[in-house]
């Protein structure tokens, strides 16, 4: 009974773990932007049957980390990972909704948990990098001997280490997110006016951080054109709706 | 040596490109991308020197060291260094040229990579993704899947085209790469990205406030739609003015101040 109630569905846990490994592999190999929060959150929630919640989570995390430094060696919060965990936790808790509760009831909890565990992905990658750095002497000996197979083995080992670590940390955090919710079930993270005010406030700050990169005296016209164009589209849409 | 013999075969440059993608996976603190860099050159070295194992070993030893170019510029660097190594093997050029070229790529392609990709193209595409996401999150599942695909295509089509082109470009230029690279119209490229980015910031700002208003409405906090607009605008202005002066401590103080103010107000 304890296991059934406090732990997630093993199939979902397996899917989330594999997806986490694949996101990490994308980040350290082909870098096809699958590790962007928008994609990780949507795919995770789609796997667990609720893509709407995923896109919403992805948009929110994308906003907050628009200028994220994407170096894989950093020891810093990882937006893609945080979005994936937030999305997976809130989407899997949807099954526990009581009648009359909204789909977004568990969302704030998922987001808070995602933000809290975000640095773990950066830290785990740093651990792998430190581990690989410790084996540099072996690599140098292989180069001195011209042993190409040993050089290839070192690189393949690095790829596998990153992938497995990514999968392990994602699975662990998803499990922990699910478990912690059931332990502290009595604490109600329902969206309240404080959160509803703070989120757009920080969204504004996040957009401003990108604006500082793009917006200068010679590009202010582009900013105005963008804002006016979007406002016009919205006004036309409303007019057509009336 | 005829021009035809200097051409690199399709398979060879494709393998150079493919191997260059895995440089990040073996990143180390001391060498940065250096380990993956040596690994990426192995097939080329074996093709260049054939059964001469000493030639392969000398090439790998020469190229073993620190390499810190931006990952998206690695194909460009590998094309140019492969050509330099080709000249060492076939035309008996000074081997130190090939080593020096790697060191130049390591420095120049890092700084320019930050400007072009980390602070330019990437946030631009992420902004575009954000705008697409804000448009579709209340649409059908099929639309959401299409939107994610569109976002991935917007990033990957130009990036993969650039990577594939840059191996060939690097090979064509060889030791002349630094000269050719510095002649790129950097000012115009960065200005175009900034101009586009500024336009998208405008669109994203209006959309975010609007969509957040919808979420607020959905949650039942009626009358809070205007609040979302006002707080987003205040956040934007605060961020724009304060960001250059912000460090972690001031950010924490700001957060505490905002939470206290909200608690007092509500």
């Amino acid at each position: 009974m304890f296991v059934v109630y406090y732990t997630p569905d093993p199939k979902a846990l397996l899917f989330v773990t594999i997806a986490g490994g694949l996101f990490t592999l994308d980040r350290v190999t082909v870098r096809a932007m699958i590790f962007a929060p928008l994609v990780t959150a949507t795919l995770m929630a789609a796997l667990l049957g609720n893509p709407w919640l995923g896109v919403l989570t992805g948009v929110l995390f994308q906003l907050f980390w628009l200028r994220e430094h994407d170096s894989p060696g950093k020891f810093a919060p990882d937006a893609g990972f945080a979005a994936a965990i937030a999305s997976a936790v809130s989407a899997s808790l949807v099954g526990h909704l009581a009648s009359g509760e909204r789909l977004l009831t568990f969302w704030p909890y998922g987001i808070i948990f995602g933000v809290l565990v975000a640095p773990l992905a950066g830290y785990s990658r740093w651990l792998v990098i430190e581990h690989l750095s410790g084996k540099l002497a072996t690599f140098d000996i292989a180069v001195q001997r011209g042993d190409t197979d040993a050089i290839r083995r070192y690189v393949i080992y690095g790829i596998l280490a990153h992938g497995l670590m990514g999968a392990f940390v994602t699975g662990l955090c998803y499990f922990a997110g699910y478990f912690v919710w059931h332990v502290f079930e009595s604490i109600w993270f329902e969206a309240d006016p404080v959160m509803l005010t703070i989120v757009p406030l920080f969204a504004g700050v996040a957009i401003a951080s990108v604006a500082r990169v793009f917006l200068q005296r010679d590009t202010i016209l582009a900013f105005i054109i963008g804002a006016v164009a979007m406002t016009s589209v919205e006004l036309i849409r409303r007019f057509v709706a009336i | 040596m005829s021009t035809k013999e200097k051409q690199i075969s399709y398979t060879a440059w494709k393998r150079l490109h493919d191997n260059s993608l895995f440089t990040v996976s073996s990143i180390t603190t001391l060498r940065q991308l250096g380990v993956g860099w040596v690994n990426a050159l192995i097939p080329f070295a074996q093709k260049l020197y054939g059964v001469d194992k000493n030639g392969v070993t000398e090439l790998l030893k020469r190229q073993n060291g620190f390499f810190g170019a931006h990952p998206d510029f690695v194909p460009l660097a590998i094309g140019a260094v492969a050509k330099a190594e080709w000249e060492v093997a076939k035309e008996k050029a000074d081997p130190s040229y090939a080593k020096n070229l790697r060191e130049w790529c390591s420095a120049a392609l890092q700084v320019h990579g930050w400007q072009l990709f980390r602070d330019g193209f990437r946030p631009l595409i992420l902004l575009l993704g954000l705008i697409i996401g804000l448009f579709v999150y209340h649409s059908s599942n099929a639309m959401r899947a299409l939107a994610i695909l569109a976002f991935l295509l917007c990033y990957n089509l130009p990036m993969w085209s650039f990577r594939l082109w840059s191996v060939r470009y690097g090979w064509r230029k060889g030791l002349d790469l630094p000269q050719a690279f510095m002649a790129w119209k950097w000012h115009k490229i960065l200005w175009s990205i900034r101009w586009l980015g500024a336009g998208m910031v405008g669109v994203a700002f209006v959309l975010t406030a609007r969509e957040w208003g919808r979420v607020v409405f959905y949650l039942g906090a009626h009358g809070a739609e205007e609040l979302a607009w006002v707080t987003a605008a205040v956040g934007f202005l605060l961020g724009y003015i304060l960001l250059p002066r912000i460090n972690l401590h001031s950010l924490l103080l700001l957060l505490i101040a905002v939470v206290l103010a909200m608690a007092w107000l509500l």
Side-chain angles (χ1 to χ4, degrees), chain B:
Chain B
M1 193 73 58
S2 71
T3 321
K4 202 177 173 188
E5 281 176 296
K6 285 188 181 180
Q7 295 293 322
I8 186 170
S9 73
Y10 173 81
T11 330
W13 72 256
K14 185 75 175 55
R15 282 192 81 175
L16 272 177
H17 168 266
D18 294 349
N19 285 342
S20 71
L21 296 175
F22 296 97
T23 48
V24 185
S25 59
S26 44
I27 190 170
T28 54
T29 42
L30 289 173
R31 307 271 170 84
Q32 292 288 304
L33 310 179
V35 171
W37 172 259
V38 173
N39 174 63
L41 279 166
I42 289 175
F44 180 77
Q46 285 171 336
K47 200 171 169 59
L48 194 61
Y49 288 99
V51 289
D52 176 13
K53 206 184 167 209
N54 276 344
V56 176
T57 310
E58 284 307 311
L59 187 153
L60 297 181
K61 273 156 73 176
R62 203 162 38 242
Q63 294 298 337
N64 185 22
F66 180 84
F67 182 71
H70 189 276
D72 292 324
F73 263 144
V74 173
L76 180 69
I78 209 162
V81 170
K83 178 65 174 292
E85 286 292 352
W86 187 88
E87 283 176 7
V88 170
K90 303 284 181 192
E91 296 180 342
K92 305 295 171 211
D94 186 346
S96 65
Y97 287 167
K99 193 180 169 198
N100 291 346
L101 184 61
R102 170 174 61 83
E103 280 163 8
W104 176 85
C105 288
S106 184
L109 297 187
Q110 185 175 52
V111 180
H112 285 86
W114 283 348
Q115 282 184 330
L116 185 61
F117 299 109
R118 194 195 67 181
D119 292 339
F121 187 65
R122 228 162 241 261
L124 186 77
I125 293 295
L126 289 178
L127 259 177
L128 182 68
L130 178 70
I131 291 167
I132 294 174
L134 284 168
F135 263 116
V136 300
Y137 77 81
H138 43 69
S139 319
S140 65
N141 281 346
M143 272 299 288
R144 284 177 207 133
L146 279 178
I148 295 295
L149 274 178
F151 165 67
L152 288 174
L153 274 180
C154 285
Y155 176 76
N156 285 302
L157 270 182
M159 275 315 292
W160 286 87
S161 314
F162 174 78
R163 285 172 186 164
L164 286 166
W165 168 82
S166 61
V167 183
R168 296 299 293 269
Y169 181 81
W171 174 266
R172 265 207 319 277
K173 295 297 171 188
L175 287 166
D176 296 331
L177 181 71
Q179 218 175 351
F181 186 77
M182 289 309 175
W184 283 16
K185 290 179 179 158
W186 282 105
H187 178 72
K188 277 197 171 171
I189 296 171
L190 295 178
W191 185 84
S192 311
I193 288 178
R194 271 199 298 119
W195 213 87
L196 265 173
M200 281 202 218
V201 167
V203 174
F205 176 70
V206 175
L207 261 178
T208 311
R210 190 196 82 177
E211 293 302 320
W212 196 257
R214 282 190 189 187
V215 174
V216 169
F217 187 76
Y218 176 84
L219 287 168
H222 298 287
E225 202 170 350
E226 290 76 15
L227 193 65
W229 271 93
V230 173
T231 44
V234 171
F236 183 81
L237 287 173
L238 270 177
Y240 200 74
I241 298 161
L242 293 177
L243 274 176
R245 298 164 190 84
I246 274 180
N247 54 27
L248 190 65
H249 298 290
S250 53
L251 199 66
L252 276 174
L253 280 176
L254 181 72
L255 185 68
I256 292 166
V258 168
V259 172
L260 286 177
M262 287 298 142
W264 180 71
L265 278 173
L266 300 162

Side-chain angles (χ1 to χ4, degrees), chain A residues 64-81:
Chain A
F64 287 139
W65 271 288
L66 264 175
R67 271 201 72 202
E68 185 210 10
H69 186 320
D70 64 317
S71 159
K74 67 178 181 181
F75 172 34
D78 184 328
F81 172 77

